[in-house]
Amino acid sequence: MSSSYSQHTGHGFIISAVLLLLLRFAFSNGIKHDRAAAVMKCFDGVDCLSKRTAWEHLTEDLPSCLVAARVWWSSRPAAIPVTLVTQLSAERLDQLRAQCATWSGPLAAALYLPLLNPSSHELQDTSRQKLQAMIASAEELFKASETNQLHTVRLGNHRSSDGAISTSTNSSSGSGGGGAGGCQLRLILIYELFADPRALVLYPVNSLRNYARLLADTDLITNIDVDMLPSASISAALADPALRATYQAGAAAGGVYVWPAFETHCGGTSYADAVALADKAALPAALRKCLRRMRPKAPASHNATDYERWMATDGVYDIQYGALYEPWFLSWRWGTLWYDYRYRGYGKNKIVQAAATNATGAAWHVSPHGFLVHRPHSESRARRDFLRAKFSRKDMEDLRGSLYEHVEALWAGTTAELAAGSYMARVERPFQACLEALPWWRKEQRR
Ligand SMILES: *[C@@H]1O[C@H](CO)[C@@H](O)[C@H](O)[C@H]1NC(C)=O
Ligand SMILES: *[C@@H]1O[C@H](CO)[C@@H](O)[C@H](O)[C@H]1NC(C)=O
Ligand SMILES: *[C@@H]1O[C@H](CO)[C@@H](O)[C@H](O)[C@H]1NC(C)=O
């Protein structure tokens, strides 16, 4: 497959490019190759060995040095001109697979690999091996997505004991041209070198969200964390040209369209997968079974969505942003605010962007056409530690000077800047340069 572009596997690339030329796929392959190559070019000459991440990078808000190892870009045409944007680490590849299986359009993902590399003068063997293994896993997933073989969800294959949802999974699968899902994947594998094991907790979530978005070339985008499955009904609605035109107009005018979010408390991943394929009409039954609204313990995060109203309506409705709201939404690529790289590890990273979005005067709408469902997974150890610190005063005191404290201090600063009207999301200089270099991000491309 020549759909990927890599600094490390130049021969494979040249050979397969020649083959594809012979196969007369030169034109479409040229476009995707150009795009993958343009993104890779952003990382030319980047040397992170001298900038390996240490704990002080957090306390001084120094950006992480990030390098792309490889970019894969689907050769299939975009089935819907809306890009789902996401980011993940290696443990979440299955979630990406599931997301790709339910989403019908382009899916732009940043895959992250942290490498503890005590040496400051060379990439160590262990690092190299991890990188090669990650490339192989990503390649496998990419190939499966290109040949539409990653359906973890099979219609009619769902055990009915898992809940009321199982027999209605058929209804929404007819749209988007080709059944429920089958995304066109664009994947960037980014790694970061660490000098200090303690710093491994500093997952650069917002940088990854931003880099993933660079792979989007449609006017509409939707940033959805990788553990959330978009309902098949979202793809169906966005595949409808008339409906899409109304979203496009509202988003270009500065509005955002929230997808109501749910989570499951039983039934495992297969239940969540089945819910994502079901219609809205099946949700009341599911809510009596394994489904519930997102994050009941943190009502501020999703309550503003107004679930009662959503269940009862077929129309778009407006809501008021509330403090600490952190929904996932559809927005205009050209107007969506960037994520602030300083929020690393855990805490407030998405909340900041939503608060800044509200401060621009954005209109908050809720889409009646689809929803998201959380796909269960085990918490990483870093997140468990973070949550323990967050919810326990004693642990919090132990963690003075910790990630949690730093994030809270950042948030206090951001809140003050937002109130003063002076907040701007911080993005890294190399990121800004990359953004300016990519042809599909030039202002003239903007409609
Ligand atoms: C699936 O859809 C087809 C065609 O719309 C219909 O004939 C069939 O009965 C459906 N099956 C289920 C299990 O709903
Ligand atoms: C949740 O939202 C509803 C409707 O927007 C509001 O009436 C209610 O007070 C909110 N509850 C909480 C706990 O925020
Ligand atoms: C959201 O933005 C509006 C308009 O700028 C502002 O009046 C409101 O106070 C903001 N809400 C919050 C909770 O910050």
Side-chain angles (χ1 to χ4, degrees):
M1 288 245 165
S2 84
S3 337
S4 68
Y5 187 90
S6 159
Q7 290 175 326
H8 303 282
T9 55
H11 295 310
F13 173 72
I14 290 164
I15 292 164
S16 48
V18 169
L19 279 174
L20 274 176
L21 274 171
L22 291 172
L23 290 169
R24 302 171 62 87
F25 286 145
F27 181 68
S28 76
N29 188 51
I31 289 176
K32 72 192 160 70
H33 164 238
D34 287 354
R35 301 217 153 169
V39 174
M40 279 306 290
K41 198 163 186 300
C42 293
F43 300 89
D44 270 359
V46 173
D47 173 15
C48 291
L49 280 166
S50 58
K51 297 182 199 147
R52 290 164 307 132
T53 305
W55 187 255
E56 294 67 45
H57 288 215
L58 175 75
T59 45
E60 292 162 31
D61 291 324
L62 292 177
S64 299
C65 184
L66 301 175
V67 205
R70 189 145 168 185
V71 175
W72 292 259
W73 199 288
S74 174
S75 59
R76 298 188 298 147
I80 316 172
V82 182
T83 307
L84 190 162
V85 180
T86 199
Q87 47 75 34
L88 67 153
S89 54
E91 320 85 80
R92 295 279 185 275
L93 272 172
D94 268 356
Q95 304 282 350
L96 181 65
R97 192 179 285 267
Q99 218 179 37
C100 185
T102 4
W103 177 252
S104 299
L107 195 164
L111 172 62
Y112 174 71
L113 181 66
L115 295 169
L116 183 60
N117 199 88
S119 165
S120 63
H121 59 276
E122 62 173 11
L123 199 57
Q124 294 170 234
D125 283 346
T126 48
S127 299
R128 240 175 247 289
Q129 284 155 10
K130 282 184 182 167
L131 195 52
Q132 286 311 320
M134 194 75 257
I135 289 174
S137 304
E139 174 86 9
E140 188 264 328
L141 173 58
F142 177 75
K143 283 185 171 160
S145 76
E146 282 297 84
T147 49
N148 235 326
Q149 283 170 358
L150 43 66
H151 281 257
T152 54
V153 177
R154 302 238 178 260
L155 299 178
N157 203 18
H158 182 67
R159 282 177 304 146
S160 57
S161 61
D162 279 350
I165 213 82
S166 57
T167 53
S168 54
T169 53
N170 193 1
S171 49
S172 56
S173 63
S175 55
C183 79
Q184 302 88 54
L185 195 58
R186 293 133 189 221
L187 191 58
I188 181 170
L189 171 57
I190 289 179
Y191 66 91
E192 177 174 2
L193 302 179
F194 287 84
D196 170 3
R198 194 178 159 216
L200 284 163
V201 69
L202 302 178
Y203 183 78
V205 54
N206 278 352
S207 302
L208 296 172
R209 287 184 173 128
N210 290 341
Y211 274 110
R213 197 194 299 172
L214 289 185
L215 308 187
D217 54 5
T218 54
D219 281 349
L220 290 173
I221 57 172
T222 181
N223 238 109
I224 299 177
D225 287 341
V226 80
D227 50 2
M228 303 301 300
L229 288 174
S231 68
S233 49
I234 295 182
S235 292
L238 294 173
D240 178 328
L243 217 42
R244 194 171 63 243
T246 66
Y247 280 112
Q248 170 95 16
V256 301
Y257 292 87
V258 170
W259 311 118
F262 296 87
E263 61 186 32
T264 56
H265 54 88
C266 56
T269 52
S270 66
Y271 191 82
D273 291 344
V275 170
L277 293 179
D279 272 348
K280 184 173 176 175
L283 292 194
L287 284 163
R288 290 191 294 273
K289 193 81 186 169
C290 292
L291 196 68
R292 66 181 174 215
R293 299 168 187 188
M294 195 75 191
R295 257 180 237 146
K297 284 190 190 154
S301 59
H302 293 278
N303 181 59
T305 299
D306 197 347
Y307 289 82
E308 306 288 335
R309 187 158 175 198
W310 185 78
M311 294 303 286
T313 187
D314 291 333
V316 171
Y317 59 92
D318 295 348
I319 52 169
Q320 293 272 318
Y321 167 86
L324 305 182
Y325 189 37
E326 49 174 330
W328 293 275
F329 51 77
L330 178 83
S331 58
W332 200 43
R333 171 161 68 105
W334 305 99
T336 311
L337 300 182
W338 296 104
Y339 289 91
D340 193 320
Y341 80 78
R342 296 173 302 166
Y343 289 82
R344 267 176 293 196
Y346 297 98
K348 299 289 190 296
N349 46 68
K350 200 147 45 64
I351 287 173
V352 171
Q353 196 252 12
T357 299
N358 182 62
T360 64
W364 294 86
H365 312 294
V366 180
S367 163
H369 296 122
F371 56 91
L372 307 178
V373 55
H374 181 260
R375 196 166 188 270
H377 54 79
S378 55
E379 293 288 11
S380 65
R381 192 175 144 215
R383 181 158 167 87
R384 275 202 307 274
D385 291 350
F386 176 79
L387 291 176
R388 201 165 17 153
K390 183 171 172 177
F391 292 118
S392 140
R393 173 168 301 178
K394 184 192 170 300
D395 283 328
M396 211 157 85
E397 280 160 8
D398 290 349
L399 282 170
R400 292 242 168 267
S402 72
L403 174 60
Y404 179 75
E405 192 176 69
H406 186 73
V407 168
E408 288 302 305
L410 274 178
W411 173 240
T414 300
T415 315
E417 286 176 17
L418 282 169
S422 63
Y423 174 75
M424 288 264 289
R426 310 312 195 262
V427 298
E428 309 91 320
R429 227 177 272 251
F431 174 81
Q432 184 68 35
C434 187
L435 172 66
E436 285 163 17
L438 297 176
W440 61 96
W441 278 94
R442 290 203 188 113
K443 297 263 185 318
E444 313 86 83
Q445 300 285 317
R446 188 168 159 155
R447 271 175 254 162

